[in-house]
Amino acid sequence: MLDWPAFVIVCAMKHMPLSHQLHHLRTIITICAVFCADRTNAAEFPAAPDGTFSIAVIPDTQHYRNSATDSSVAGEQTVTNAVFEAYVDWIAENVVRQRIVFATHVGDIVDVNSEEQWSVARQMMDRLYGTVPYGISVGNHDMVRSGDSTLFQKFFPASRFEEFGWYGGCFHSPPGRSEISGNNANSFQIFSAEALDFIILHLECNAPDDVLAWADTVLERHADRRAMITTHMGLGPRDKPKVADDFFKAPKGRMTWKKCHGERGNSPQQMWDKCFRKHPSLFLICCGDQSRTQAMHQSSTGDEGNIVHEVLSDYGSHGQRVMRFLPGQNRIEVRTWNPGTDEFCTATQIVVDSNQHQFDLPYTMTVHLK
């Protein structure tokens, strides 16, 4: 079947000289080729089948635009974030189709720690509010270097979530110091899907020892639930880069350096050693932060022999992660989907290996926790 523009040209050709007919025939061939290519290459994210469920992972959403942001636009006064909007809208629209039971944000929800950007961030996450449970890890851009996350706490306080049964609670700072680590800056959520019970902690960037002690207590108290952690810094250049090129080319793994909380802060490696590795129920850690690593995953072994998958996603506008759990197959399908272009991300300029964008993780779900 001809596309409509091509059909119109064909109808008109019979009244044209032969030379004009040949010219327009080439036009028709071009139109049909484009039309067919669009139909052939158009990707569709298959619906989640019965007996499965999904978790959406929102990467760093630092794509604010207007005349006062880092991405300035002359004459544009209203702060916008089209990338953030596309991600949350897709999640909201696909809760049923993809059986999305939770959404987790890896942090750096803002680029500049300002009221204007936090207001937009709140508007974006409000599109999920009451639709699907969600949690946010506070990134280094979401606080100041000392660990003060006052603006995050203003726009996403614990009181906003306490009405929901899935909200488990948060770390409470010592009296008079709530701006550091307090009031939902470190939180946990609980949910169940396909007869499996889960707990997910959202820990701030470089969480200090008192926060990790709280996390230990929470995980021990809910040891009968399958545990996940989202924290902003995780994988990337193992040692702190000394020159810009190190962010791209230096050896990568669990990072041994930090950005926040000064001497009190813990690097990703310290957080693993002091807390994460001790919990046999832990099977997944999500992180972001490293836009120059962008996509990476590795699997480590905890002290009790449990396999812990560590997964980095900081895609910018290239897509967000959707983790589809297939309990009957003891498998998690990790897919990177770009709502802005309606296609799967299989390669970027930074990461050309498709196996870092679309991959599966083994995880036993047919056996009860010990």
Side-chain angles (χ1 to χ4, degrees):
M1 179 183 296
L2 288 177
D3 189 22
W4 177 248
F7 176 74
V8 172
I9 294 173
V10 168
C11 290
M13 277 175 59
K14 60 183 180 180
H15 303 295
M16 297 178 181
L18 178 60
S19 61
H20 287 191
Q21 289 184 27
L22 291 175
H23 169 77
H24 286 292
L25 181 60
R26 287 192 291 270
T27 302
I28 290 173
I29 293 171
T30 301
I31 290 173
C32 292
V34 171
F35 179 77
C36 293
D38 285 345
R39 292 297 176 88
T40 302
N41 295 330
E44 181 181 1
F45 203 132
D50 291 345
T52 71
F53 58 92
S54 303
I55 293 175
V57 183
I58 305 172
D60 306 40
T61 47
Q62 299 166 274
H63 310 286
Y64 297 82
R65 294 176 65 83
N66 91 326
S67 56
T69 66
D70 287 349
S71 299
S72 61
V73 180
E76 185 177 337
Q77 299 302 316
T78 303
V79 178
T80 61
N81 193 326
V83 174
F84 202 160
E85 185 174 14
Y87 289 168
V88 292
D89 281 354
W90 186 89
I91 293 171
E93 292 165 3
N94 283 272
V95 166
V96 175
R97 177 177 170 80
Q98 298 300 336
R99 297 175 177 267
I100 299 173
V101 297
F102 197 89
T104 179
H105 195 304
V106 301
D108 277 0
I109 195 170
V110 299
D111 186 33
V112 176
N113 192 23
S114 67
E115 293 262 355
E116 292 81 6
Q117 290 197 14
W118 279 112
S119 179
V120 172
R122 169 70 176 267
Q123 293 171 34
M124 294 299 101
M125 294 305 292
D126 274 357
R127 300 185 183 204
L128 304 182
Y129 189 78
T131 298
V132 64
Y134 71 83
I136 302 169
S137 169
V138 178
N140 58 295
H141 280 253
D142 304 328
M143 63 173 92
V144 300
R145 285 185 177 273
S146 65
D148 185 326
S149 56
T150 298
L151 284 180
F152 169 83
Q153 296 174 41
K154 175 181 177 179
F155 284 88
F156 294 95
S159 60
R160 179 157 180 74
F161 302 97
E162 288 170 346
E163 66 177 288
F164 297 111
W166 49 262
Y167 184 74
C170 66
F171 172 77
H172 295 284
S173 296
R177 210 195 68 183
S178 63
E179 70 278 3
I180 304 294
S181 302
N183 194 14
N184 205 43
N186 297 277
S187 64
F188 76 96
Q189 297 76 27
I190 57 175
F191 63 93
S192 298
E194 296 299 323
L196 300 172
D197 298 324
F198 294 90
I199 180 171
I200 179 166
L201 276 74
H202 287 83
L203 302 181
E204 64 187 320
C205 185
N206 306 136
D209 286 352
D210 52 357
V211 173
L212 295 183
W214 169 81
D216 281 336
T217 300
V218 170
L219 290 173
E220 289 164 2
R221 189 166 70 245
H222 296 277
D224 58 335
R225 289 181 172 271
R226 299 165 186 270
M228 298 175 280
I229 292 173
T230 295
T231 188
H232 185 58
M233 284 184 76
L235 303 179
R238 283 201 300 263
D239 299 320
K240 186 174 183 178
K242 297 178 180 178
V243 296
D245 209 36
D246 288 347
F247 283 99
F248 296 98
K249 298 180 180 180
K252 296 186 177 183
R254 194 181 300 122
M255 291 185 282
T256 61
W257 49 289
K258 56 191 177 182
K259 298 180 178 181
C260 301
H261 285 289
E263 293 184 0
R264 296 180 62 250
N266 285 297
S267 69
Q269 183 62 52
Q270 289 173 313
M271 293 172 73
W272 169 265
D273 289 335
K274 293 181 179 182
C275 177
F276 301 168
R277 65 184 299 168
K278 300 187 298 183
H279 298 282
S281 60
L282 181 63
F283 71 95
L284 180 67
I285 301 172
C286 295
C287 63
D289 181 63
Q290 290 297 307
S291 59
R292 287 166 284 191
T293 299
Q294 206 168 61
M296 179 180 175
H297 65 276
Q298 67 179 32
S299 297
S300 304
T301 304
D303 291 350
E304 301 296 322
N306 53 307
I307 301 301
V308 182
H309 302 296
E310 300 169 80
V311 183
L312 161 70
S313 56
D314 186 1
Y315 277 96
S317 61
H318 294 292
Q320 64 183 343
R321 287 275 168 77
V322 180
M323 296 187 171
R324 181 181 293 176
F325 288 65
L326 293 82
Q329 301 179 34
N330 291 322
R331 181 165 59 92
I332 304 171
E333 293 179 346
V334 181
R335 301 294 180 260
T336 305
W337 175 258
N338 190 341
T341 58
D342 285 333
E343 62 186 358
F344 289 101
C345 174
T346 57
T348 65
Q349 287 185 333
I350 295 175
V351 184
V352 298
D353 182 3
S354 62
N355 291 325
Q356 292 294 343
H357 307 293
Q358 315 289 337
F359 54 93
D360 292 358
L361 298 173
Y363 176 54
T364 301
M365 290 172 270
T366 53
V367 176
H368 291 292
L369 294 179
K370 295 181 180 179

